[in-house]
C-alpha cells in the first residue's frame, strides 16, 4: 500500500533523528568533521564504509606496485562560477566530504542538490620509499563533469571534460617536500537550463525514469610512482585462436622497446612472450589458450615492461563475431551462438548514488543476476569503475556497454509552458562524439564487453538526416573491430549497426514479423534483439522504498504493478514464455529485462533498491531462462556463414 505524504514525512523525521543520534561515522581530517548523512534509504553495506572507502587498487588492467590511495575525508565547499574561474583556494566554510562518493549521496556527508560549482581540498605526502628519480602521477577514476586540478595552488594540466572517464596528471614538478596541497575545482551543470552533455539517467528535476544526479569526484583518487618513461595505456585483442594484437602507449615521444608476457593459469610460468615498440601494433601467439566465456571465464595474467616500468594486467581469449545461421543473423562467442539474456543495469545505489558503497556490494548485484540465470547485462547509459568490469570478467558475465546519453530533449530558447525540441546543437553533437571515442578507448580491453550501444531510444539523436549513427558506427568499428555495435537501441532505427533492436513493454517483440511503433518491422538483415522488455513492478513496504514523497507518489507510473510476488512471478513466467516462442519461431537472439534493481520511484527490479528483497522465484526463473538457452541452441544445427569482420586495428 502506498503511504500518504504526511505519514511518510513523519516517518522520515523520526528515522533521521534516530540515525543522527546513533551515527558512529565521524572523523576529523584537515580540521574538518565528516558525518554520514541519513538518506532516503540505506543498504546493508552503508554502515561498513567508514572513512577508508574503496581501498583496493582501482585499475587492475594497468597496475603499478608503488601507489597511494587518496580516498577518505577531504574538505568541500560549494562555490560560485567566479571562484571556479579564478580560485582563491580559501574555503571559508568547508564541510567534511568522503571521497569518492558524489556530493548528492548520503555517504559523501554532503547530500546536497544543485551543486553546480564545487571545490575540494586535501593534503598528501609522497611515501619516503618511492624513488626520487621517478615521476609522481595523480590519477582520477572519474569526476563529473569538468575538473581543474591544482597542486600547491598551481594549475596542473588542462581542464578535464567528461564525467565518466579516468584521467592522469604528472604532478612531479609541482611537488614540495613534506605536505602538499591538492585542490580540485568542479563544474557540473547536469541538465540545467539548455545545457546538453552526456549524462545518462541523471537529472536535477524529479522524474519517474530519471534519478538524483552525481556531481564531483565519484571514483577513486590515487597517486603512483613511475619511471621517467612509463606506460600510459595499451590496446589488446586476444582472440579464440590465441592470436594477440597489442599496441602500447608511453609517455615518451619516440619508439621504445616493450615486452608482454602471458602467464600460465595460477602460475608464474610464462606461457608466451611478445615484443615490439611503443605506439605500433605488434602480434604474437599463445598456444591452445583456454577460452573466456560465461561457462568458463578464464583469465590470464600479464606483465608489460617498458624499460624500468613494469605493470600487471590480465586478459581473456575470446572472439565476438556474427554469422548467418540457418538463414538468421546471430551473435557468436568463440564461434558459437548462445542466447544473450540479461538485465537493464542502471548502476544506481541509494547510499552512494553513482558508486556502490563497497566492492562487495557491487559484486552482490552480479552474483544475484547469475543466481537467477542471466549470462549478460546491459550497462545502461553509464560507465562503471574499472573494478566493475574486472568483476564481470572474473565472473563470466557478458556486457553490452551503452554510451551515456544526451538529454532526450532541451527547452526551446524562448520556451513557454514547457515547450521543448530535439537536440539540434552541433557543439553538443561533437562533444558526444568525442566522449564516445574516449569511452571505447578506455573500455575496449575488457573481455566481458561484447557490444557497444551508441544511442538509446533517440535520446540526443538527430531528428533529421544525415543520421549521425552511421558515421559513429564506422568510428566505433575503426576503434574496436572486435565487438558488435548496437547503433540504435529502441528507436529511431534507420538501419545502422549490427542489431535490429526493439523495445516493448511489457510483452517482447524480438525479431518478429509484428511490431509496435515507434519501433520498426524486423528487417531480417541484422541480429534480432529485444533491447528492453518486462518492466513489471511490485510495490513493497516503506522500509524498502526510496523515502521521497514525490517518488512514492509516482510509483504507479511503473509499466505494470502486480499485487504480490506470486502475481509478479506468474506474470514474469508469461512474458518469458512469450519470448521463448519468439526464440523458437522467429529471429530472436537476445533480450534485456528491465531491470536489475528498483531505482527511486521505480519498483520493477530483480532486487529492491536497498538490495534486501530478491523478487524472482529462483527455481522458476532458472527453468525459464534455461529454456531460452536450450531453444536457441536447438536452432543452430545448420552451417554458420560468417559475416565479414572489420580490419584489425593498427594503432591507439
Amino acid at each position: 500500500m502506498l503511504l500518504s505524504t504526511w505519514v511518510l514525512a513523519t516517518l522520515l523525521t523520526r528515522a533521521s533523528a534516530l540515525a543522527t543520534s546513533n551515527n558512529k561515522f565521524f572523523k576529523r581530517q584537515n580540521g574538518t568533521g565528516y558525518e554520514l548523512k541519513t538518506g532516503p534509504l540505506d543498504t546493508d553495506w552503508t554502515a561498513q564504509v567508514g572513512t577508508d572507502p574503496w581501498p583496493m587498487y582501482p585499475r587492475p588492467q594497468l597496475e603499478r606496485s608503488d601507489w597511494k590511495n587518496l580516498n577518505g575525508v577531504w574538505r568541500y565547499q560549494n562555490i560560485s562560477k567566479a571562484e571556479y574561474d579564478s580560485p582563491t583556494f580559501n574555503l571559508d566554510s568547508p564541510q567534511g566530504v568522503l571521497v569518492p562518493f558524489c556530493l548528492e549521496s548520503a555517504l559523501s556527508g554532503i547530500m546536497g542538490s544543485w551543486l553546480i560549482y564545487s571545490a575540494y581540498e586535501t593534503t598528501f605526502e609522497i611515501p619516503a620509499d618511492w624513488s626520487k628519480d621517478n615521476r609522481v602521477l595523480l590519477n582520477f577514476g572519474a569526476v563529473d563533469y569538468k575538473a581543474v586540478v591544482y597542486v600547491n595552488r598551481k594549475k596542473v594540466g588542462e581542464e578535464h571534460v567528461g564525467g565518466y572517464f579516468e584521467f592522469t596528471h604528472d604532478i612531479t614538478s609541482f611537488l614540495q617536500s613534506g605536505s602538499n596541497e591538492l585542490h580540485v575545482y568542479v563544474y557540473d551543470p547536469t541538465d540545467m537550463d539548455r545545457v546538453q552533455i552526456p549524462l545518462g539517467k541523471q537529472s536535477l528535476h524529479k522524474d519517474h525514469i530519471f534519478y538524483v544526479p552525481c556531481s564531483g569526484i565519484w571514483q577513486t583518487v590515487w597517486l603512483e610512482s613511475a619511471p621517467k618513461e612509463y606506460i600510459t595505456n595499451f590496446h589488446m585483442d586476444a582472440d579464440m585462436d590465441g592470436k594477440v594484437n597489442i599496441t602500447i602507449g608511453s609517455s615518451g615521444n619516440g619508439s621504445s622497446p616493450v615486452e608482454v608476457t602471458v602467464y600460465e593459469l595460477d602460475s608464474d610460468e610464462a606461457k608466451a612472450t611478445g615484443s615490439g615498440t611503443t605506439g605500433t601494433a605488434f602480434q604474437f601467439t599463445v598456444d591452445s589458450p583456454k577460452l573466456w566465456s560465461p561457462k568458463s571465464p578464464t583469465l590470464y595474467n600479464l606483465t608489460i615492461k617498458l624499460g624500468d616500468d613494469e605493470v600487471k594486467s590480465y586478459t581473456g581469449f575470446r572472439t565476438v563475431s556474427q554469422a548467418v545461421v540457418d538463414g538468421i543473423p546471430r551473435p557468436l562467442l568463440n564461434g558459437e551462438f548462445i542466447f544473450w539474456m540479461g538485465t537493464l543495469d542502471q548502476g544506481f545505489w541509494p547510499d552512494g548514488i553513482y558508486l556502490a558503497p563497497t566492492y562487495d556490494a557491487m559484486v552482490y548485484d552480479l552474483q544475484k543476476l547469475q543466481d537467477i540465470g542471466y549470462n549478460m547485462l546491459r550497462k545502461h547509459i553509464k560507465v562503471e569503475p574499472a573494478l566493475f568490469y574486472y568483476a564481470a570478467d572474473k565472473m563470466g558475465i557478458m556486457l553490452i556497454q551503452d554510451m551515456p546519453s544526451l538529454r532526450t530533449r532541451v527547452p526551446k530558447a524562448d520556451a513557454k509552458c514547457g515547450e521543448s525540441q530535439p537536440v539540434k546543437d552541433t557543439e553538443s553533437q561533437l562533444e558526444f562524439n568525442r566522449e564516445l571515442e574516449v569511452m571505447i578507448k578506455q573500455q575496449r580491453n575488457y573481455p566481458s564487453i561484447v557490444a557497444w550501444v551508441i544511442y538509446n531510444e533517440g535520446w540526443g539523436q538527430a531528428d533529421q538526416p544525415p543520421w549521425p549513427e552511421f558515421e559513429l558506427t564506422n568510428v566505433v568499428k575503426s576503434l574496436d573491430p572486435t565487438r558488435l555495435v548496437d547503433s540504435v537501441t529502441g528507436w529511431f532505427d534507420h538501419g545502422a549497426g549490427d542489431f535490429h533492436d526493439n523495445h516493448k513493454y511489457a510483452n517482447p517483440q524480438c525479431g518478429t514479423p509484428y511490431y509496435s511503433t515507434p519501433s520498426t518491422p524486423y528487417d531480417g538483415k541484422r541480429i534480432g534483439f529485444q533491447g528492453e522488455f518486462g518492466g513489471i513492478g511490485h510495490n513493497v513496504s516503506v522500509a524498502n522504498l526510496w523515502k521521497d514523497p514525490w517518488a512514492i507518489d509516482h510509483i504507479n507510473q511503473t509499466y505494470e504493478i502486480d499485487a504480490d510476488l506470486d502475481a509478479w512471478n506468474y506474470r514474469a513466467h508469461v512474458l518469458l514464455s512469450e519470448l521463448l516462442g519468439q526464440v523458437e519461431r522467429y529471429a530472436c537472439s537476445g533480450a534485456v529485462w528491465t531491470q536489475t534493481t528498483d531505482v527511486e520511484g521505480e519498483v520493477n527490479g530483480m532486487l529492491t533498491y536497498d538490495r534486501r528483497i530478491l523478487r524472482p522465484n529462483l527455481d522458476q526463473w532458472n527453468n525459464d531462462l534455461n529454456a531460452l538457452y536450450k531453444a536457441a541452441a536447438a536452432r543452430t544445427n545448420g552451417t554458420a556463414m560468417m559475416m565479414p569482420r572489420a580490419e584489425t586495428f593498427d594503432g591507439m
Side-chain angles (χ1 to χ4, degrees):
M1 177 180 294
L2 297 179
L3 297 182
S4 65
T5 300
W6 71 268
V7 171
L8 177 60
T10 301
L11 289 173
L12 284 172
T13 301
R14 293 175 180 173
S16 177
L18 179 62
T20 301
S21 65
N22 292 333
N23 191 350
K24 299 179 181 179
F25 298 98
F26 184 84
K27 179 180 179 181
R28 289 197 174 272
Q29 183 169 311
N30 300 324
T32 300
Y34 159 76
E35 190 169 3
L36 172 70
K37 296 291 187 181
T38 301
L41 188 65
D42 66 359
T43 70
D44 288 342
W45 298 275
T46 309
Q48 300 175 17
V49 174
T51 53
D52 184 25
W54 288 84
M56 66 288 292
Y57 190 85
R59 192 184 55 199
Q61 282 204 334
L62 205 163
E63 180 177 352
R64 289 192 170 88
S65 57
D66 289 339
W67 75 288
K68 180 177 182 176
N69 197 322
L70 296 186
N71 291 346
V73 179
W74 294 27
R75 288 153 53 98
Y76 161 80
Q77 186 169 308
N78 190 22
I79 60 172
S80 65
K81 181 181 185 301
E83 178 71 4
Y84 177 85
D85 293 335
S86 300
T88 63
F89 307 106
N90 296 318
L91 306 188
D92 53 12
S93 56
Q95 301 170 263
V97 60
L98 187 62
V99 171
F101 295 104
C102 54
L103 297 170
E104 291 81 358
S105 71
L107 280 167
S108 73
I110 304 299
M111 206 168 74
S113 60
W114 287 77
L115 304 177
I116 310 302
Y117 293 96
S118 302
Y120 291 80
E121 177 185 272
T122 191
T123 59
F124 65 89
E125 295 186 6
I126 302 302
D129 59 349
W130 284 10
S131 171
K132 305 300 181 184
D133 297 326
N134 275 11
R135 313 300 295 176
V136 176
L137 308 179
L138 173 61
N139 302 284
F140 292 82
V143 181
D144 196 358
Y145 172 69
K146 293 183 179 182
V148 185
V149 178
Y150 301 86
V151 173
N152 294 320
R153 307 197 174 193
K154 295 181 180 179
K155 183 179 177 182
V156 179
E158 297 300 318
E159 178 184 61
H160 174 78
V161 180
Y164 298 93
F165 311 117
E166 61 190 33
F167 61 98
T168 299
H169 290 303
D170 182 339
I171 61 170
T172 312
S173 61
F174 299 88
L175 297 174
Q176 59 192 23
S177 60
S179 180
N180 292 271
E181 279 187 355
L182 172 60
H183 289 86
V184 182
Y185 280 67
V186 178
Y187 167 58
D188 182 21
T190 312
D191 57 352
M192 180 181 65
D193 302 327
R194 291 174 52 82
V195 172
Q196 181 72 337
I197 60 176
L199 79 175
K201 283 294 191 81
Q202 303 179 70
S203 180
L204 293 166
H205 313 278
K206 291 183 184 296
D207 190 287
H208 184 64
I209 64 167
F210 297 94
Y211 318 130
V212 169
C214 175
S215 300
I217 299 170
W218 70 277
Q219 291 185 28
T220 293
V221 184
W222 77 102
L223 298 169
E224 57 189 10
S225 175
K228 183 176 181 181
E229 184 177 10
Y230 57 89
I231 298 162
T232 55
N233 55 64
F234 73 96
H235 177 197
M236 180 174 181
D237 172 31
D239 71 17
M240 61 184 287
D241 298 318
K243 296 176 182 177
V244 177
N245 193 18
I246 186 167
T247 307
I248 299 169
S250 80
S251 60
N253 295 322
S255 296
S256 301
V258 287
E259 182 180 272
V260 181
T261 302
V262 181
Y263 292 92
E264 290 282 1
L265 295 170
D266 303 316
S267 171
D268 293 331
E269 179 184 351
K271 187 172 179 65
T273 298
S275 59
T277 57
T278 56
T280 302
F282 62 93
Q283 297 78 34
F284 63 97
T285 300
V286 173
D287 292 333
S288 305
K290 293 184 178 180
L291 303 185
W292 186 95
S293 73
K295 292 182 179 179
S296 179
T298 303
L299 298 176
Y300 287 85
N301 290 327
L302 310 174
T303 59
I304 305 175
K305 294 182 180 180
L306 165 62
D308 294 330
D309 194 21
E310 177 175 323
V311 299
K312 295 180 180 179
S313 190
Y314 70 91
T315 194
F317 289 83
R318 93 295 178 263
T319 297
V320 179
S321 60
Q322 58 178 309
V324 175
V325 182
D326 288 343
I328 299 175
R330 300 292 195 185
L332 304 182
L333 180 64
N334 302 326
E336 177 187 6
F337 167 50
I338 57 175
F339 192 80
W340 295 8
M341 186 64 195
T343 56
L344 194 70
D345 194 85
Q346 309 280 5
F348 275 75
W349 292 79
D351 44 11
I353 305 298
Y354 239 29
L355 180 66
T358 67
Y359 177 79
D360 289 343
M362 183 180 69
V363 170
Y364 179 84
D365 278 5
L366 301 179
Q367 290 173 331
K368 289 304 174 185
L369 293 180
Q370 284 192 320
D371 290 345
I372 296 165
Y374 291 109
N375 62 11
M376 177 269 288
L377 64 82
R378 177 183 162 204
K379 175 43 60 182
H380 189 39
I381 50 179
K382 180 194 176 192
V383 177
E384 293 284 0
L387 286 165
F388 175 90
Y389 301 94
Y390 176 55
D393 290 342
K394 288 197 302 179
M395 297 172 69
I397 298 175
M398 296 184 293
L399 302 178
I400 297 174
Q401 175 64 57
D402 289 14
M403 170 63 191
S405 64
L406 300 167
R407 295 165 69 176
T408 56
R409 299 172 67 89
V410 292
K412 289 184 177 180
D414 55 349
K416 297 179 181 179
C417 300
E419 291 179 324
S420 64
Q421 66 184 28
V423 180
K424 295 182 179 179
D425 184 338
T426 300
E427 182 179 349
S428 298
Q429 181 69 60
L430 291 174
E431 179 59 24
F432 178 86
N433 299 355
R434 184 192 73 83
E435 293 191 29
L436 173 65
E437 293 191 33
V438 173
M439 182 189 77
I440 302 298
K441 291 178 180 179
Q442 178 176 299
Q443 309 300 114
R444 62 188 171 183
N445 288 334
Y446 298 112
S448 54
I449 298 178
V450 294
W452 307 105
V453 169
I454 299 176
Y455 284 109
N456 174 74
E457 295 184 348
W459 297 0
Q461 182 184 1
D463 66 338
Q464 58 188 358
W467 310 116
E469 60 266 26
F470 284 94
E471 178 58 30
L472 291 178
T473 299
N474 292 335
V475 169
V476 172
K477 285 185 174 288
S478 70
L479 292 171
D480 178 21
T482 69
R483 293 178 176 87
L484 304 180
V485 180
D486 191 350
S487 303
V488 176
T489 176
W491 55 83
F492 300 95
D493 180 20
H494 305 106
D498 300 315
F499 294 83
H500 187 283
D501 185 337
N502 177 295
H503 291 186
K504 177 68 167 58
Y505 290 101
N507 307 71
Q509 294 176 345
C510 184
T512 61
Y514 48 88
Y515 68 100
S516 302
T517 56
S519 293
T520 54
Y522 177 60
D523 62 15
K525 300 176 181 179
R526 294 172 295 162
I527 297 166
F529 197 74
Q530 189 69 45
E532 295 180 25
F533 83 114
I536 56 175
H538 159 249
N539 205 353
V540 291
S541 71
V542 70
N544 306 107
L545 288 175
W546 178 254
K547 299 174 188 63
D548 175 271
W550 190 95
I552 289 179
D553 285 347
H554 287 77
I555 281 175
N556 279 335
Q557 288 189 9
T558 303
Y559 302 106
E560 171 184 307
I561 296 289
D562 301 321
D564 51 46
L565 283 180
D566 284 342
W568 186 88
N569 277 288
Y570 164 73
R571 287 288 296 138
H573 174 67
V574 170
L575 296 174
L576 292 171
S577 297
E578 188 171 351
L579 182 66
L580 175 62
Q582 295 169 14
V583 174
E584 293 171 334
R585 294 175 59 90
Y586 303 123
C588 185
S589 292
V592 177
W593 183 281
T594 302
Q595 57 191 342
T596 301
T597 73
D598 297 351
V599 186
E600 299 182 18
E602 297 181 346
V603 291
N604 52 354
M606 299 288 105
L607 292 151
T608 51
Y609 198 18
D610 60 3
R611 277 69 171 176
R612 291 187 174 107
I613 296 177
L614 179 68
R615 289 190 175 95
N617 177 309
L618 291 183
D619 288 339
Q620 173 196 305
W621 277 77
N622 287 170
N623 290 335
D624 285 342
L625 298 190
N626 281 329
L628 294 171
Y629 302 139
K630 290 177 181 178
R635 299 206 60 190
T636 59
N637 295 324
T639 300
M641 182 179 70
M642 299 299 292
M643 293 183 175
R645 186 181 181 189
E647 294 298 319
T648 303
F649 63 83
D650 58 3
M652 301 306 292

